[in-house]
Amino acid sequence: MGSWTDLALECARAARAALQLDPAVSPVAVVLGSGLGAFGDQLASPRSVSFADLPGLPRATVLGHEGRLVSGELAGVPVLAQQGRLHGYEGHDAATVAFPARVLGVLGARALVLTNAAGGLNPHLQPGDLMRITDHINLTARNPLVGLNEERLGPRFPDLSRAYTPALAEALEEAAREAGIALRRGVYAQFLGPSYETPAEVRMARILGADAVGMSTVPEVIVAAHQSVPCCGISCITNHAAGIADKPLTHQEVVAVAQQVEGRFLQLLRAFLPRAAAAVPARKALA
Ligand code: HPA
């Protein structure tokens, strides 16, 4: 196997050919978390390519539905969406989990918008809330940049102090106001999963300064910062984290709430994407 960079370049070229992407266009990339499955159906002029047809991507995820990249337009904005995320708890290392985000950066995405489902630790967060991720705490002890640094992509020791790009944060706040959607703010802590946290772990995360917990997103944010891709994250709070409410947690509950929120989430993205595209400059594709 070549380096991650070579593989990302190869994968990006294959995706560009399959999706007939115009190299002069710098799209907004969106990684779709639980409950945003309908996003792809909202795109005008959609084209898609399965992970199975792209070099460097694992074939299927544990979720059973195949991952794919979808291109199209939403609210007039060229969009590239990743449907079907890879997670560390499926057995992938962090570099593999973040590989699709690397490819989106190599393809010249002007911004990376990450979405997920999360449990609320902050008592002010209720199931059904949408939360702008202001910062994160990586509790997985994993980092996608471990190994030889890819100088062509970014520095050995990237700065994460502005990983959640202020211009996109502002654009998201404006979009929420304009769309009349309440948007909370909070720090996201990532655990590896797949078991949900214990009540003691949830108390620990709260003491550490987290507002929500989940099992994704951090690896993608780190590669975006590495490649200087402006980034933002939105969590759909699907449940009170373990021990916050006195009842057991189920995946069914997470999926059901995520589905209930989907319409509002899509509305927020529709208002946000044009503002996001205007808030950050176009980037050049590497491949
Ligand atoms: N913990 C971890 N991941 C999650 C949760 C949670 O409570 N809810 C949705 N994803």
Side-chain angles (χ1 to χ4, degrees), residues 19-113:
L19 298 170
Q20 299 176 35
L21 299 176
D22 178 349
V25 170
S26 180
V28 176
V30 185
V31 178
L32 302 171
S34 310
L36 270 178
F39 182 85
D41 308 330
Q42 304 267 314
L43 298 182
S45 321
R47 285 183 209 278
S48 73
V49 60
S50 159
F51 283 3
D53 296 322
L54 294 173
L57 281 162
R59 294 206 148 229
T61 73
V62 167
L63 296 175
H65 50 77
E66 244 189 329
R68 53 184 199 145
L69 291 183
V70 188
S71 66
E73 276 192 12
L74 189 78
V77 177
V79 169
L80 257 180
Q82 179 193 338
Q83 227 167 14
R85 202 192 224 133
L86 307 170
H87 297 89
Y89 63 71
E90 293 168 273
H92 304 300
D93 62 19
T96 304
V97 169
F99 183 71
R102 258 188 224 254
V103 171
L104 292 167
V106 166
L107 279 167
R110 67 170 65 216
L112 184 65
V113 180

Side-chain angles (χ1 to χ4, degrees), residues 176-220:
R177 269 198 302 278
E178 177 202 329
I181 293 170
L183 185 64
R184 313 281 172 212
R185 282 163 215 104
V187 172
Y188 176 89
Q190 188 191 342
F191 284 83
L192 183 59
S195 52
Y196 289 114
E197 302 71 30
T198 63
E201 286 164 346
V202 166
R203 286 194 299 276
M204 174 193 77
R206 185 83 190 111
I207 291 166
L208 296 179
D211 297 290
V213 276
M215 305 176 193
S216 68
T217 303
V218 165
E220 291 107 315

Side-chain angles (χ1 to χ4, degrees), residues 36-273:
L36 270 178
F39 182 85
D41 308 330
Q42 304 267 314
L43 298 182
S45 321
R47 285 183 209 278
S48 73
V49 60
S50 159
F51 283 3
D53 296 322
L54 294 173
L57 281 162
R59 294 206 148 229
T61 73
V62 167
L63 296 175
H65 50 77
E66 244 189 329
R68 53 184 199 145
L69 291 183
V70 188
S71 66
E73 276 192 12
L74 189 78
V77 177
V79 169
L80 257 180
Q82 179 193 338
Q83 227 167 14
R85 202 192 224 133
L86 307 170
H87 297 89
Y89 63 71
E90 293 168 273
H92 304 300
D93 62 19
T96 304
V97 169
F99 183 71
R102 258 188 224 254
V103 171
L104 292 167
V106 166
L107 279 167
R110 67 170 65 216
L112 184 65
V113 180
L114 298 156
T115 66
N116 62 38
L121 315 183
N122 185 322
H124 295 113
L125 290 172
Q126 299 302 326
D129 281 349
L130 292 170
M131 183 190 91
R132 172 169 71 79
I133 302 177
T134 56
D135 204 348
H136 74 229
I137 301 174
N138 181 358
L139 295 174
T140 66
R142 293 178 175 201
N143 191 302
L145 306 179
V146 165
L148 280 181
N149 185 50
E150 302 286 1
E151 290 292 335
R152 281 175 288 169
L153 295 188
R156 170 75 291 187
F157 301 109
D159 174 36
L160 294 187
S161 62
R162 290 162 75 88
Y164 296 84
T165 310
L168 290 178
E170 208 172 297
L172 182 56
E173 293 285 344
E174 271 176 25
R177 269 198 302 278
E178 177 202 329
I181 293 170
L183 185 64
R184 313 281 172 212
R185 282 163 215 104
V187 172
Y188 176 89
Q190 188 191 342
F191 284 83
L192 183 59
S195 52
Y196 289 114
E197 302 71 30
T198 63
E201 286 164 346
V202 166
R203 286 194 299 276
M204 174 193 77
R206 185 83 190 111
I207 291 166
L208 296 179
D211 297 290
V213 276
M215 305 176 193
S216 68
T217 303
V218 165
E220 291 107 315
V221 172
I222 293 173
V223 299
H226 184 234
Q227 289 176 231
S228 302
V229 180
C231 179
C232 76
I234 311 167
S235 291
C236 169
I237 304 299
T238 51
N239 56 280
H240 291 291
I244 301 274
D246 190 21
K247 67 182 178 96
L249 245 172
T250 67
H251 179 59
Q252 285 74 11
E253 175 191 358
V254 167
V255 171
V257 175
Q259 274 166 2
Q260 282 164 25
V261 179
E262 185 173 51
R264 197 156 26 97
F265 213 151
L266 290 172
Q267 212 186 325
L268 178 61
L269 287 175
R270 193 175 275 283
F272 175 48
L273 291 186

